[in-house]
Amino acid sequence: DAMVIQNPRYQVTQFGKPVTLSCSQTLNHNVMYWYQQKSSQAPKLLFHYYDKDFNNEADTPDNFQSRRPNTSFCFLDIRSPGLGDAAMYLCATSRDGQGNLGSDTQYFGPGTRLTVL
Amino acid sequence: RKEVEQDPGPFNVPEGATVAFNCTYSNSASQSFFWYRQDCRKEPKLLMSVYSSGNEDGRFTAQLNRASQYISLLIRDSKLSDSATYLCVVNGGFGNEKLTFGTGTRLTIIP
């Protein structure tokens, strides 16, 4: 059974047209993460939520926003996608990362591959 | 210096051989260490966690050397299905839920 679900799996959008990617989890984990991964590169953390607390990475462009309306769901909004935003977007969860063994292990969804035309 | 450094490969290894990957990390406060496997155009999947000096799971052995800030992954009796990119992943320290990923080492097992 899928534990971290991402929709859609493939998204095509036009330059400048807003897009929303969604992630849901059945693990009841406290922490949810959004990563951007381009070809042959490491996943790059955009931001994460610890419960309702939003933590933005310093180099994440303002074009990227996120919402977490409840424990299970988290959304990535790209307000004005550029050609350089074409990538795989990965959602991940972890229990809490607060020092307990295994609590910081991250579990990934299958990703959404974004194409910008 | 990169926070997590790996040899990018590619490693082309005959089926049945043993292969070892190395990884170094710069944050001496890191407490949790992982190896993830990522197939082409798929998500990373946890292969092994390493919290003490090492961990073994079947054909896979991970070793940690905190003094040298070095982690290794050994794959014995390699199989065609082991072909993937292997990501070395390190946490930011005790109580830090963020992970830092290496760029990965690409492995191809040759029949």
Side-chain angles (χ1 to χ4, degrees):
Chain A
D1 290 336
M3 297 182 290
V4 184
I5 302 160
Q6 290 188 245
N7 284 303
R9 295 291 307 278
Y10 300 91
Q11 176 74 57
V12 180
T13 190
Q14 291 180 329
F15 183 94
K17 185 173 181 182
V19 66
T20 294
L21 310 182
S22 84
C23 177
S24 62
Q25 54 129 340
T26 60
L27 297 162
N28 203 34
H29 280 173
N30 292 323
V31 194
M32 294 185 77
Y33 309 79
W34 279 105
Y35 291 88
Q36 179 194 66
Q37 188 177 27
K38 297 186 177 181
S39 182
S40 301
Q41 295 183 19
K44 178 181 182 298
L45 182 65
L46 296 173
F47 25 58
H48 73 282
Y49 275 93
Y50 193 111
D51 290 330
K52 293 185 178 180
D53 292 335
F54 177 68
N55 299 272
N56 199 28
E57 293 301 297
D59 57 354
T60 298
D62 291 340
N63 197 26
F64 292 87
Q65 302 285 318
S66 186
R67 296 169 283 137
R68 189 179 185 186
N70 53 52
T71 300
S72 301
F73 284 87
C74 196
F75 299 96
L76 169 62
D77 301 308
I78 308 177
R79 294 194 295 192
S80 182
L83 298 179
D85 297 329
M88 172 80 95
Y89 289 88
L90 294 161
C91 174
T93 74
S94 69
R95 195 164 71 229
D96 57 36
Q98 293 302 299
N100 299 313
L101 200 66
S103 68
D104 54 359
T105 303
Q106 291 187 17
Y107 299 90
F108 285 83
T112 295
R113 187 163 293 279
L114 178 68
T115 300
V116 182
L117 301 177
Chain B
R1 182 184 173 187
K2 286 184 182 176
E3 290 185 68
V4 179
E5 287 205 69
Q6 295 183 249
D7 182 341
F11 284 55
N12 298 314
V13 173
E15 194 174 5
T18 295
V19 61
F21 305 138
N22 301 322
C23 171
T24 57
Y25 62 95
S26 61
N27 184 357
S28 59
S30 296
Q31 297 288 324
S32 304
F33 307 89
F34 308 89
W35 284 100
Y36 279 76
R37 170 203 170 118
Q38 187 170 26
D39 292 288
C40 188
R41 300 175 74 86
K42 301 277 183 141
E43 76 274 24
K45 291 187 177 177
L46 180 68
L47 180 66
M48 299 183 77
S49 306
V50 187
Y51 295 100
S52 57
S53 60
N55 193 7
E56 184 172 330
D57 183 4
R59 299 182 293 110
F60 300 85
T61 300
Q63 293 204 314
L64 169 64
N65 184 321
R66 288 185 192 271
S68 301
Q69 294 182 202
Y70 169 97
I71 315 151
S72 65
L73 177 67
L74 184 77
I75 305 175
R76 290 179 297 276
D77 186 25
S78 53
K79 302 190 182 308
L80 296 177
S81 57
D82 294 334
S83 297
T85 296
Y86 290 82
L87 300 168
C88 176
V89 185
V90 173
N91 90 332
F94 185 82
N96 187 333
E97 64 273 15
K98 285 166 52 173
L99 300 180
T100 300
F101 288 74
T103 53
T105 298
R106 180 152 181 79
L107 172 67
T108 300
I109 305 299
I110 304 165

